Each structure stands twice: as C-alpha cells, then as structure tokens.
Amino acid sequence: MLGIYIHIPFCERKCNYCAFSSFVNIEKEQDRYISSLLQEIEDFTFDNYEFNNELAKLGKTKTQTYDVDTIYIGGGTPSLLNLDILAKILNKIKEKFNVIQNSEITIECNPNSLTLEKALGYKSLGINRVSLGIQSLDDEELKFIGRLHNSSQALEAIDIVKETGIKNISCDLIIGLQNQTPEKFKQQLETLIKKDIKHISTYMLQIEDGTPLAKFVSHNADYLPSEDENVLIYKENASFLENNGFKRYEVSNFAKIGYESRHNFKYWTGENYIGFGLGAHSYIDGIRYANASNFEDYYNRKLALKEILSKEELIEEHLMLGLRCACGVDIKYLEKLGKDIENNENFKYLLKKNIIFKMGNKFFLEPNYYEVNNYVIVKLMA
Amino acid sequence: MDRIDKIRNFCIVAHIDHGKSTLADRLIERTGTLAKRDMQDQLLDSMDIEREKGITIKLTPTRMTYHYQGEDYELNLIDTPGHVDFTYEVSRSLAACEGAILIVDASQGVEAQTLANAYLAIDNNLDILPVINKIDLPSARPEEVKKEIEDVVGIPAMHAPCISAKDGTNIDQVLEMIVKEFPSPKGDENGKLKCLIFDSYYDNFKGAICLIRVFDGSVKVGDKIKMMQTGKVFDVTEVGIFVPFVKPIESLKAGDVGYLAGSIKNLSDVEVGDTITSAINPIDTPLPGYKKVQPVVFCGVFPVDGAKYNELKDALEKLKLNDASLEFQPEVSQALGYGFRCGFLGLLHLEIITERIEREFNLDIITTAPSVYYRVHKTDGKVEELSNPSSLPPPTEINYIEEPVVKASIYTPPEYVGAIMELCQDKRGVYKDLTYLDTNRVRVSYILPLGEIIFDFFDSLKSRTKGYASLDYEMAGYERSELVRVDILLNGEKCDALSIIVHKDKAYSRGRALTEKLKKIIPRQLFEVPIQAAIGSKVIARETVSAMRKDVLAKCYGGDITRKRKLLEKQKEGKKRMRKIGSVEIPSEAFMSILKLDDEDK
C-alpha cells in the first residue's frame, strides 16, 4: 500500500523557528502552484521510477500497485486552502490512485485558520484525521515563537473538530519553550487529555540555523530551558502520558491504542510513499527523491535529490528508523543485507547494559534511552 | 671566459613575508626560464602547505640563463626555508652558494629573521646583496630602510636595488647585480669529485634524489660515487638540473648545481650535509659543516585506525627522505595502541609533518602533546634520556632531572620590553642580557627551558607585543629542574597519552587547566565521566563530564529521512576519530589540547 503526502507551502506568516519550505505569498503564487501540483499528480506513473536492485535481496519486486491507504496533507498551513481547492486535490488523487476504504486521511491545521464550516467540509471530503499545531497552551510562549493563535483559540479549534464528529485528533506540543517546567507541561497535557485527544506529539524545539529564533538564542543563551531541563520535562511527561493510556510508539509520538499515525509508520518501516508538491520527499522501491524547493524549479519538475540507497544506507536507515519507534529492528532484514548484528561487539555491549532488548527476531531500544537514540544508532552503525 | 666564470650560485634570504618567493618567481619569469602562462604564483613553494602558510619548507633549486653583455650566464637560485626550525637546512643550502640576496621589506625594515639570516650568510662567507622590496607600498621608506640595513646589519646598502617583486619593477637591476657583484664559483672540473648534498627527496621511479652542488670534478651517468658519512657506494643513473622542472643532462661539473640519482633505495643513505666523492678516486677530507641534525621536540603519532600502522610507517619513511631531520621510532601506548615517537626540529616542523601525513598520505592520525628530551639521573647512578612522560621512572628512583634550555633572543621595539620580561619570567626564564640595537630595536636575551617554549610561547609573545617581537633561539645545554609528571585519569583509569611533565610549581595550575579543558572537549557519554589530574596517587584537580541527556527528538518532517541519515553519518565519522580509554570515548584532538592550555588562561 502506498502513502501519499501533499505539501502546501503557504503560511500567513512564518514561525520564528521554522526552516522549512513555506511562503507567505499565497495570493501571488497559489493558482499557479495548485495547477502544477494537480498536473504532477496527474502525470505520476511508476514507469518513471527505477527499482533499487539491493531490494531484491529482501525479496521485493518493482511496485506496480496504485493502492493507497494513507494521505497526509501537510505544510505550511493546509488549512489556509479553500475547500474547493482541497476537493480538487483529493479528487485528483482518487482519479489517479485507488484510495481504499478506511484510508487514513490527515490534514494539518493551524488553530487560527480553522472554522466550523471548514472542518465540516473536511469531513465531507473524507478527511478523518486532523493534526492541530497547538505547540503550547501558554500565550506568552506562543507569541515568542511567532504563532498567530492563543491558547483559547487552540482549545476552541479542538472543539470545532470534535463537533464535526472527527475523533482522530492529534496535537503537537513543543518542549523547550521559555516558561516550561515539568509541572506546567503536565498541566497542558492534562487539558488535552480532558478534551479526549487521541494522539499527542511532543517535539523538542530545534534551533535551526538562519531562523530568527537562532539569532535570538545566540544573544540570549539562557532564555530557554537547558538541555537537562528539557529532558526532565520530556521524561516526566512521557510517563504521565503512559499512565493515562497513551502508548509511546515513536520517540516523540504518543497515541491511544488504534490511533497511531499509519502514515508516519510508512516513513519508519521502509514502505513506499509518494510526495507531491514543493520540496516533497518520496521513497519508491529503495530510492529517495525530493522535489525542488523553489517554485520555478518545482514547476520545471526538477529534483533536489535522487538517492539510490546503497546496501550500507539501507542498513543504516533500518537501524535508525527501527530504533526510533516501537516497530523495532528486524535482525533477519539486516542479515539479508549482509550485516551480522548479533556478533557486533557494540550490539552485545548495548544488550548487556540493557540499553536495547531483544524479542524474537527483533530488537528494540529501551524506552528509557529514547532520548539518546542517536548515540545508540551510531554505535550500531559502526 | 671559462664556463665556470659564467656561473652564479646564489640564494635569497629574508624575514618571513618580505617577498622571497615572489622575487624568485619574477627572476624565473624575466630570464624566460618559464613562460608567463606556465607560472603559478610562488612557483618554488611546491607543497600545498607551503603555499598556504606562505613559507618555504623545501628547497627547490632552479637554473636560469641570463643574457648579459653578449654572454649567457648560468644563474642557480637555491631557495631556502625561512623559519628558525630549519636553521640547519638553511646553512647547508647557503654552503652551496657564493652569494645571497637579502630582501628587506621597504616598509617593515630589518626584522629578526633578516638579521639572523644575514648573519648566517655572513658566517658562510657569502657575498650579500641587499634588495629593498615592496616599494609599491604607500608606506615604503626605502632610504630609511637602507640606512637601517647599514646600521643594524652592518653591510653597505646605499646601492641596493629598490624593487617591487609584485609589480616586476627593477627586476633587471637585480639580475645585473647578481652577475656583476657575486663571485663565480672556484673549483677544478678536472679534479677529484667533491659535491655537497644540500637536500634530497624521494622519487617513486628513480629512488632517492640528491640535490647537489659540485665543488670539484664532474659527475656523469655510470660513475661510481661514495657518500662520505655513510660510506655507501652507488652507480649514478641520472644527473640533471631544474628549469625549474627536472631536466636530465649529460654531466654536472665543478660549480654546477643540480641533482643526481643512483638507484638509492634506502632513504637513510642520503644525509643532508654529506659529501659525495668518487668511489674510484676519492678525496680524503669531506666538506666541512656536516652535522647530524638533532630533533628537539617530540610527540607520539598514532593512526586513528589502528590497522593502518604500516601505512603510517611507510608515510614517515617517505617523508624522512625529503627531510633528514625527521626522526621516529615505534611506540606503544595503552590508550592509542601502536604508533611512533617522532622527533622534530620545532613546533612548526611538527605541524608541517603531521599535516603532510594527513594530506599527502590520506591518513588520519592522532598526535600527543609535544615534549622535549629529559635527562633523568636515577638513584642507582644511571642516566636515562626520555621524551615520553609515561616512561618516567617512579619518583623514588629519581635522583634529579635535567631539562634542555635554549638561549632565546627576542627582538622588539623598546615599549614591549616590560611585557616580554614578564612573559619570560612566567616561563621560568633566566635573564641574560638587553641590548639596544638602535633607538627603536632592542634584543632581550633569556635562558629559557625549551619545554616552556613549546607550550605556545610564540603565540603569547606575539599577542603581548602586538606581533612586533620576533624570537630566535639556539640550544644551550641541559639544566637541573624540579619536574614532576602529572597524570590524567578518566573514569579512574590512567590515560598514558595525556601525561605531561611540568615544573612542580606549575603542576597544580596545569593540572586544573587540563581537566577543565578536557571537560570541554570530551563529549557527554551515557554515564558520568570523572576527569582527574594526579601527581602519583595524589589527585590535584577534578572535573566531571555529566551523563548525556539527549541527542535527538527532532521531528522527521514530511518523510525527509535523508537529512536525518546524513546527520547520523556525520556523527559516525566523528566517532571514527574517537579513542576509547576503558569505557570512555575521547576525541583525538584531546591529545593535542594540552598545547593550547595557556591560551585560555589569558
């Protein structure tokens, strides 16, 4: 089954921490962009894609199916789009692909651009999962990172989605903002749990080079909580969520049973996904692609990346992704690619130290060590 | 005119950056030795490192033909290194010349190296021709500088050509002066063969190549020659000259400068300063001035990848051929495995060699903190010489230790004398002398422990004198000193490669500075890592690297897995440069960090 990602690169304004493909010139560019995006979907054919022969070792063959079971509309701010445009995009996907029954169809929304009318429209288009960019329930923090909503608008947005009957709501929260303590963060989680939110993502604030935030932090080093404080917030709240019926199925993702994001799982398990739109990434039959991330190049169908994964890279990715999430690392998979992990000295050491644990043919990262998973991955890659 | 009367062998000496290589380029260009389009900037500095650092390390002699008053003159330019580390190499190449061009920067005037090199040339009985360079600069003051040369160096300079090597101004004047002022070589081309080896390098096809100056006799392919110091005999397979690229010719005769190959496989058979003679009809006494070069600074060099020990050995052997002064012997470290203890002429030399190993041989290496040779007088009456702190015997077996000292001459404008004396005092210096060379130049002389000089003395000097002072030093024997070894323990385990020998009064501050520095360099690990400095079993300083808390938790945006993998691959590369001491991983630069300690104290 395929996953499809649609990128909507428009925002009302750019957040202070954002280093991704998004632009605030929606009026000027939108028409041209959407028609190019529709054309890109229209033109898609597997005939244009190769097969990475390394995958033959894993018993795989060239993908021909157009069956799709997850669609993810991300951005940017997809909720800025008018319903008719959204409808065109989804219809184009359905024309081209076979979107099966009960597919997971997600849209990312900013609390301030969501109305009940829009939300009802989403539901009628078949969207059944809404990911809300709440980020924080502290107004001061929201202002600091440059969001356009406040905490009451955030809670209102949740109510709007619930009113439509869409139950699968995900909320993003950022760890590492200025007023946070483990206790205050917990209060935010409690508020969300009371609202019967099924999925919560807690990301640590990444200071990306070249962003206004990076500039601010370079002059105000102590304004944000320290790394140690952030870890404390993360750890305490991970166990708080787990005590409240959430399962940590990935480093930063928590869900009630049955509400794990099926689309994100595709990223982590090496399944094929096709990204349409500016800067969108695809992974098809062992090859990674990325569209150009400026408009002109994108309109000319230029790629920013085409990467045929080598055997080593396939191994590295499987380790990296498998240890990030609850799906674990498949020892047989590594073996087929020629890596005998069980005789690796570092593997034995990590096993002995209870940093990883083994179950059947798979091994997993001990959840206590999720926050140092790079260290573990790098050790196993060596 | 005889052939030999039309030869001029000369070199160019200067303070660093006064324009030696640029003038050499212009001479080559003006004599038509190379067409302009073939010129690379600073042609004679053939190594990348030389060009980057703007210094000349290796000597490349060039033969030029200059047409003057109806005659073709053969001009042999022998380039010389311009750094205090390479004094011996300079002296050998000077011995191959009859004349020296002394370049002085028209705005900076006479500098420390100007003096040192001029005296070196005078000591070698060379005729000196001063040349004032960089007259294109607005701050140029050629007349004053001429007077300075006469006053400070003590050689006539009023008729010195004023040139701009950069713009090519008055280069012909220099060429004319070379022909007119410098004597032609003396020598008998029918006499017994007598050549000086002033440099050597290794060629993969021809073996060791000797760069030679023929004093008497002649040498051609097929001759049997003998190296007088090593006693080895070889058949000559090729002789030639540099124009400036290699050009084989029939023979080299008295007065000539060129090269000689003889299927010399063993690198150590060619020693700079040695005399070559005929094996059939040898001379009795070699040329004077040969000395075995003595390295003064030592450090351990280890491959990052332990399996590359043999490649490192190979690299060092190849480098040694080009560089008679490099010494090395195998060493084993608990922390770093198998490697070599290497000896260098100075810190710059150390830096150059280690960089060349990494660049030219593509080997990742770890170097330990530089050290000097200590003389350890033991209680049983035996004397041990050692440079490796970890081989120092236990204190109970030591009667006393001696360390090498140097006589340091620091040339400076008078206003910095106070700061310099303070620095020298701080570095355990003993004041010797203060001389006013003229109203704005003073020479301060101190006896300083060499071990202190290699701890960033030069950088401190430059920063305290805004770069105006320069340093020259020569070895001045050994002196008794209260020295102790400071060990570093990581997670309770001694790391032999981090031990240092220091004066006991400095042990505490160094120990503290070192642990603080290591705390900054050693990345957080999954567990807490205590770092201790100790003398014997007594801990004198302690720091702790707290356990790593997090290294991830970033979002994988929209399936951009590549970005994340690249990040990890970078971390993996970083890991390759890590060494494990017990269970602690430390980056390779930690081993050199000791060097930069004093920097941070300021």
Side-chain angles (χ1 to χ4, degrees):
Chain A
M1 292 284 185
L2 299 168
I4 287 181
Y5 176 82
I6 303 289
H7 191 68
I8 306 300
F10 302 114
C11 286
E12 277 172 273
R13 64 174 282 188
K14 234 173 139 107
C15 299
N16 292 335
Y17 56 89
C18 174
F20 285 85
S21 289
S22 77
F23 299 87
V24 290
N25 48 355
I26 180 157
E27 298 84 3
K28 207 174 103 220
E29 203 68 51
Q30 182 176 310
D31 290 350
R32 197 171 170 205
Y33 180 73
I34 296 297
S35 67
S36 179
L37 174 68
L38 293 173
Q39 194 62 48
E40 190 192 7
I41 301 169
E42 168 90 39
D43 294 343
F44 179 86
T45 163
F46 282 113
D47 296 344
N48 294 339
Y49 293 84
E50 300 159 45
F51 179 75
N52 178 350
N53 283 322
E54 292 291 342
L55 292 195
K57 293 181 184 141
L58 301 166
K60 296 199 175 166
T61 52
K62 186 162 168 43
T63 303
Q64 298 292 353
T65 174
Y66 283 77
D67 290 353
V68 164
D69 69 345
T70 70
I71 300 172
Y72 195 104
I73 305 159
T77 311
S79 48
L80 281 182
L81 291 184
N82 287 332
L83 277 177
D84 58 325
I85 293 171
L86 209 52
K88 273 189 202 162
I89 295 169
L90 286 169
N91 285 335
K92 184 58 81 185
I93 294 172
K94 283 172 188 161
E95 272 171 34
K96 188 78 197 179
F97 297 91
N98 173 33
V99 181
I100 64 156
Q101 283 267 306
N102 297 322
S103 287
E104 175 191 277
I105 305 178
T106 308
I107 187 164
E108 281 182 347
C109 292
N110 268 6
N112 60 304
S113 54
L114 190 66
T115 60
L116 179 61
E117 193 194 357
K118 250 188 198 169
L120 284 168
Y122 293 162
K123 189 167 185 218
S124 67
L125 292 174
I127 290 171
N128 53 20
R129 187 171 182 270
V130 174
S131 173
L132 285 170
I134 304 273
Q135 316 309 359
S136 169
L137 291 174
D138 178 314
D139 288 346
E140 222 178 279
E141 290 175 354
L142 286 168
K143 210 167 162 193
F144 171 67
I145 53 175
R147 301 295 292 197
L148 288 167
H149 66 274
N150 58 32
S151 59
S152 56
Q153 281 173 310
L155 298 174
E156 221 172 282
I158 295 174
D159 292 336
I160 288 173
V161 181
K162 281 169 78 179
E163 219 178 308
T164 65
I166 297 176
K167 287 201 189 68
N168 195 346
I169 303 171
S170 172
C171 292
D172 285 359
L173 288 177
I174 293 176
I175 293 178
L177 299 176
Q178 72 268 35
N179 293 335
Q180 278 170 9
T181 61
E183 198 49 43
K184 280 191 188 156
F185 197 81
K186 195 184 288 175
Q187 283 163 14
Q188 299 191 4
L189 294 176
E190 263 174 338
T191 310
L192 297 181
I193 291 168
K194 274 198 196 119
K195 293 258 179 207
D196 197 27
I197 296 298
K198 309 289 189 191
H199 187 283
I200 294 173
S201 299
T202 57
Y203 298 113
M204 287 209 187
L205 183 64
Q206 282 286 102
I207 315 258
E208 302 282 351
D209 288 349
T211 58
L213 182 69
K215 204 168 167 191
F216 176 84
V217 170
S218 70
H219 295 113
N220 303 275
D222 294 331
Y223 188 74
L224 296 173
S226 71
E227 183 181 306
D228 286 1
E229 286 168 299
N230 286 340
V231 171
L232 204 66
I233 294 168
Y234 169 80
K235 279 199 177 251
E236 286 198 15
N237 286 286
S239 49
F240 176 73
L241 284 170
E242 279 162 349
N243 291 336
N244 281 278
F246 283 82
K247 193 177 155 225
R248 174 161 43 172
Y249 71 102
E250 197 255 0
V251 176
S252 12
N253 285 298
F254 300 80
K256 292 272 175 72
I257 301 291
Y259 286 93
E260 299 89 352
S261 162
R262 281 150 56 191
H263 184 79
N264 283 342
F265 255 118
K266 290 197 194 300
Y267 295 156
W268 305 326
T269 52
E271 279 190 63
N272 289 335
Y273 54 88
I274 306 162
F276 294 112
L278 190 76
H281 288 251
S282 303
Y283 178 70
I284 300 167
D285 290 337
I287 304 174
R288 297 203 174 276
Y289 306 85
N291 288 342
S293 51
N294 68 70
F295 287 106
E296 278 316 310
D297 285 349
Y298 168 65
Y299 297 150
N300 292 315
R301 295 291 171 263
K302 284 196 183 146
L303 289 179
L305 173 85
K306 178 184 174 186
E307 190 178 36
I308 304 171
L309 298 178
S310 66
K311 197 174 70 182
E312 287 70 32
E313 287 165 338
L314 284 167
I315 292 169
E316 282 172 10
E317 287 198 351
H318 186 64
L319 279 169
M320 158 182 123
L321 299 168
L323 288 174
R324 248 185 108 79
C325 67
C327 26
V329 178
D330 188 336
I331 294 169
K332 286 272 174 291
Y333 178 102
L334 296 180
E335 205 178 281
K336 283 178 195 160
L337 290 171
K339 180 153 178 125
D340 179 10
I341 194 89
E342 287 187 285
N343 281 313
N344 178 301
E345 283 310 311
N346 288 334
F347 177 84
K348 289 184 201 164
Y349 170 84
L350 293 166
L351 209 57
K352 200 176 96 198
K353 291 275 176 188
N354 294 322
I355 293 167
I356 53 174
F357 65 95
K358 217 182 123 182
M359 257 165 59
N361 272 329
K362 286 191 161 185
F363 68 90
F364 302 83
L365 186 62
E366 183 64 47
N368 240 334
Y369 290 95
Y370 263 143
E371 62 278 8
V372 289
N373 82 19
N374 279 3
Y375 179 92
V376 176
I377 295 163
V378 170
K379 255 188 142 36
L380 290 173
M381 269 162 58
Chain B
M1 232 190 290
D2 284 342
R3 181 193 62 88
I4 199 165
D5 296 329
K6 290 186 281 179
I7 299 176
R8 300 290 181 273
N9 294 320
F10 69 101
C11 59
I12 309 176
V13 294
H15 187 76
I16 195 158
D17 220 24
H18 279 196
K20 194 173 70 171
S21 299
T22 319
L23 175 59
D25 289 352
R26 284 302 90 75
L27 296 179
I28 291 169
E29 197 183 291
R30 192 59 59 95
T31 52
T33 308
L34 264 191
K36 193 159 190 168
R37 64 172 185 280
D38 296 329
M39 294 283 295
Q40 284 169 282
D41 267 352
Q42 305 197 351
L43 195 76
L44 291 183
D45 294 350
S46 54
M47 282 189 289
D48 286 351
I49 300 171
E50 290 183 334
R51 247 182 236 139
E52 275 166 34
K53 292 192 194 290
I55 52 168
T56 308
I57 305 156
K58 293 306 298 177
L59 319 163
T60 317
T62 302
R63 180 184 289 193
M64 300 172 278
T65 308
Y66 182 59
H67 194 74
Y68 179 68
Q69 294 186 344
E71 298 280 353
D72 276 340
Y73 286 85
E74 172 192 327
L75 310 186
N76 291 310
L77 165 60
I78 297 166
D79 205 12
T80 58
H83 190 273
V84 59
D85 281 3
F86 303 103
T87 311
Y88 179 68
E89 288 199 9
V90 176
S91 81
R92 288 310 81 208
S93 45
L94 295 185
C97 305
E98 279 78 36
I101 294 175
L102 176 70
I103 304 187
V104 184
D105 183 307
S107 62
Q108 289 181 22
V110 174
E111 296 277 350
Q113 299 274 302
T114 313
L115 266 186
N117 285 322
Y119 288 132
L120 208 54
I122 291 168
D123 289 348
N124 278 278
N125 297 317
L126 302 193
D127 280 17
I128 298 178
L129 168 63
V131 168
I132 315 294
N133 189 22
K134 303 196 191 181
I135 54 158
D136 54 303
L137 293 180
S139 55
R141 43 181 186 94
E143 292 312 311
E144 281 172 58
V145 169
K146 282 182 186 173
K147 187 165 183 320
E148 215 174 291
I149 296 172
E150 297 202 335
D151 292 350
V152 181
V153 187
I155 54 171
M158 279 311 142
H159 300 295
C162 293
I163 67 161
S164 162
K166 199 181 90 195
D167 298 345
T169 316
N170 295 338
I171 300 301
D172 282 322
Q173 274 187 35
V174 179
L175 286 162
E176 276 179 41
M177 298 283 267
I178 291 169
V179 172
K180 286 199 315 218
E181 304 279 326
F182 287 153
S184 59
K186 313 256 171 301
D188 175 8
E189 67 176 71
N190 299 313
K192 294 182 180 180
L193 181 65
K194 192 203 287 183
C195 310
L196 169 73
I197 303 177
F198 61 88
D199 195 14
S200 63
Y201 69 88
Y202 193 81
D203 182 286
N204 283 335
F205 301 104
K206 299 173 191 166
I209 308 284
C210 309
L211 304 195
I212 54 167
R213 155 73 197 270
V214 185
F215 282 89
D216 286 316
S218 69
V219 59
K220 60 180 191 311
V221 174
D223 287 355
K224 263 195 183 341
I225 51 154
K226 183 175 145 191
M227 309 288 182
M228 293 188 79
Q229 291 297 335
T230 61
K232 295 279 169 65
V233 173
F234 300 98
D235 291 323
V236 175
T237 55
E238 186 176 319
V239 295
I241 55 172
F242 297 90
V243 286
F245 306 114
V246 170
K247 181 183 173 193
I249 58 171
E250 213 162 279
S251 67
L252 288 170
K253 296 182 181 134
D256 280 341
V257 169
Y259 70 88
L260 173 159
S263 300
I264 308 170
K265 293 279 179 300
N266 205 338
L267 322 184
S268 52
D269 291 335
V270 178
E271 289 197 15
V272 170
D274 198 355
T275 305
I276 295 178
T277 188
S278 161
I280 314 292
N281 189 12
I283 50 169
D284 300 328
T285 34
L287 289 158
Y290 169 83
K291 69 178 179 192
K292 195 148 176 74
V293 279
Q294 293 293 346
V296 291
V297 176
F298 301 82
C299 79
V301 175
F302 298 84
V304 168
D305 177 355
K308 302 217 164 141
Y309 173 83
N310 280 321
E311 285 176 46
L312 177 59
K313 186 175 171 203
D314 204 43
L316 286 167
E317 276 174 357
K318 289 221 168 93
L319 287 172
K320 183 168 169 63
L321 187 73
N322 271 335
D323 190 338
S325 50
L326 171 67
E327 277 191 6
F328 58 95
Q329 58 188 60
E331 179 179 78
V332 188
S333 152
Q334 280 166 311
L336 300 175
Y338 289 92
F340 295 90
R341 188 102 199 138
C342 301
F344 305 94
L345 298 177
L347 277 185
L348 178 75
H349 188 214
L350 181 157
E351 206 182 306
I352 288 163
I353 293 291
T354 49
E355 262 187 62
R356 289 186 67 188
I357 294 173
E358 298 214 313
R359 285 195 206 183
E360 293 171 27
F361 298 90
N362 212 2
L363 279 170
D364 284 336
I365 52 169
I366 298 175
T367 46
T368 61
S371 149
V372 297
Y373 241 81
Y374 296 99
R375 257 185 215 156
V376 182
H377 296 258
K378 303 199 342 181
T379 45
D380 61 6
K382 286 184 185 145
V383 181
E384 256 183 55
E385 290 208 345
L386 55 91
S387 73
N388 189 347
S390 62
S391 30
L392 195 70
T396 49
E397 291 175 24
I398 298 173
N399 187 0
Y400 64 94
I401 305 175
E402 286 180 311
E403 64 177 332
V405 293
V406 298
K407 181 169 179 276
S409 303
I410 300 163
Y411 298 84
T412 176
E415 58 264 41
Y416 300 114
V417 167
I420 289 169
M421 291 178 86
E422 199 185 350
L423 172 67
C424 291
Q425 227 88 84
D426 186 47
K427 299 283 185 183
R428 303 191 279 127
V430 177
Y431 171 80
K432 279 288 160 204
D433 184 27
L434 190 144
T435 317
Y436 272 79
L437 299 172
D438 60 29
T439 47
N440 42 33
R441 192 157 298 269
V442 179
R443 183 179 62 217
V444 187
S445 303
Y446 266 85
I447 297 292
L448 280 158
L450 178 64
E452 294 288 346
I453 295 226
I454 65 175
F455 272 106
D456 95 334
F457 182 87
F458 201 63
D459 289 344
S460 300
L461 181 68
K462 288 277 170 206
S463 71
R464 283 178 198 222
T465 61
K466 302 199 173 81
Y468 277 105
S470 55
L471 165 75
D472 199 9
Y473 63 83
E474 55 188 88
M475 301 304 291
Y478 277 74
E479 277 183 11
R480 189 168 164 163
S481 179
E482 297 284 326
L483 298 165
V484 292
R485 187 177 75 207
V486 176
D487 293 322
I488 295 295
L489 291 85
L490 299 172
N491 208 18
E493 274 185 70
K494 194 169 106 184
C495 179
D496 60 356
L498 286 172
S499 296
I500 49 171
I501 293 175
V502 291
H503 191 264
K504 76 171 184 0
D505 294 346
K506 294 206 157 178
Y508 281 83
S509 60
R510 273 262 162 83
R512 207 165 39 242
L514 193 48
T515 50
E516 281 166 10
K517 179 86 181 206
L518 286 169
K519 183 187 173 168
K520 282 187 208 148
I521 290 176
I522 297 177
R524 290 168 147 208
Q525 329 245 323
L526 283 183
F527 46 87
E528 187 180 281
V529 180
I531 305 168
Q532 294 161 304
I535 302 172
S537 57
K538 188 174 159 211
V539 173
I540 57 171
R542 185 194 155 110
E543 291 286 337
T544 307
V545 179
S546 52
M548 171 165 48
R549 300 305 301 269
K550 75 146 186 150
D551 61 358
V552 68
L553 292 196
K555 190 171 174 173
C556 268
Y557 280 88
D560 182 358
I561 306 295
T562 306
R563 182 167 186 256
K564 180 132 186 69
R565 196 190 61 243
K566 294 262 150 77
L567 222 70
L568 284 171
E569 278 167 0
K570 231 162 100 187
Q571 279 187 29
K572 187 174 97 178
E573 282 312 302
K575 251 211 155 55
K576 279 196 190 148
R577 298 193 64 96
M578 299 275 224
R579 280 288 158 150
K580 264 184 105 165
I581 310 299
S583 51
V584 184
E585 285 173 333
I586 46 179
S588 45
E589 63 264 29
F591 299 97
M592 271 297 271
S593 63
I594 306 168
L595 239 189
K596 301 268 171 4
L597 281 185
D598 297 356
D599 265 356
E600 315 238 322
D601 293 344
K602 283 186 295 236

